[in-house]
């Protein structure tokens, strides 16, 4: 199996994009409004939403702030959906339990 380029989104990055879209929809805000609030260009935003490139943690934080969501919760939900070998639970009181399975992780 070939190695993906540095800017190609992997499974986790694609899940992050899906969770961002879900959080945007749950907030009842349009993608255009998110881009306006975060000063992220349309090309930048949609290339990441399509999985051509990954969002970085600064992007996730800015988007979460713009929509009133929790960036960490977005990342945890994405981790739960991907095959990272990370079993995590999170609640709004910031109680975090995570167990890393070395056999599953990178």
């Amino acid at each position: 199996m070939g190695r993906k380029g540095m800017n190609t989104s992997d499974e986790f990055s694609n899940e992050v994009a899906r969770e961002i879209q879900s959080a945007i929809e749950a907030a009842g805000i349009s993608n255009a409004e998110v881009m306006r609030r975060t000063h992220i260009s349309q090309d930048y935003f949609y290339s990441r939403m399509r999985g051509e490139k990954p969002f970085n943690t600064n992007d996730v934080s800015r988007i979460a702030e713009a929509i009133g969501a929790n960036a960490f919760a977005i990342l945890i939900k994405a981790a739960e959906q991907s095959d990272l070998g990370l079993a995590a639970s999170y609640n709004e009181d910031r109680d975090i339990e995570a167990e890393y399975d070395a056999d599953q992780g990178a």
Side-chain angles (χ1 to χ4, degrees):
M1 187 191 247
R3 182 175 176 207
K4 288 188 173 188
M6 288 285 291
N7 288 330
T8 303
S9 294
D10 60 13
E11 179 186 355
F12 176 65
S13 296
N14 290 331
E15 288 298 336
V16 169
R18 281 190 277 278
E19 288 302 327
I20 287 172
Q21 188 61 58
S22 292
I24 291 169
E25 290 170 4
I29 300 171
S30 70
N31 288 344
E33 179 62 14
V34 171
M35 289 180 271
R36 187 191 69 74
R37 290 180 185 185
T38 59
H39 306 285
I40 293 175
S41 75
Q42 185 174 354
D43 287 341
Y44 185 95
F45 182 82
Y46 284 114
S47 69
R48 279 137 185 89
M49 293 305 284
R50 288 189 301 266
E52 295 167 8
K53 296 180 181 181
F55 282 107
N56 66 43
T57 55
N58 291 329
D59 299 332
V60 176
S61 180
R62 286 170 49 200
I63 292 168
E65 183 177 334
I67 64 173
N70 184 297
F72 189 70
I74 290 170
L75 296 173
I76 287 293
K77 288 177 185 178
E80 290 171 345
Q81 296 299 315
S82 66
D83 187 22
L84 292 180
L86 178 67
S89 62
Y90 172 80
N91 67 38
E92 291 301 319
D93 294 329
R94 301 206 185 274
D95 291 333
I96 301 166
E97 295 178 15
E99 180 180 310
Y100 181 74
D101 183 347
D103 293 333
Q104 297 291 318

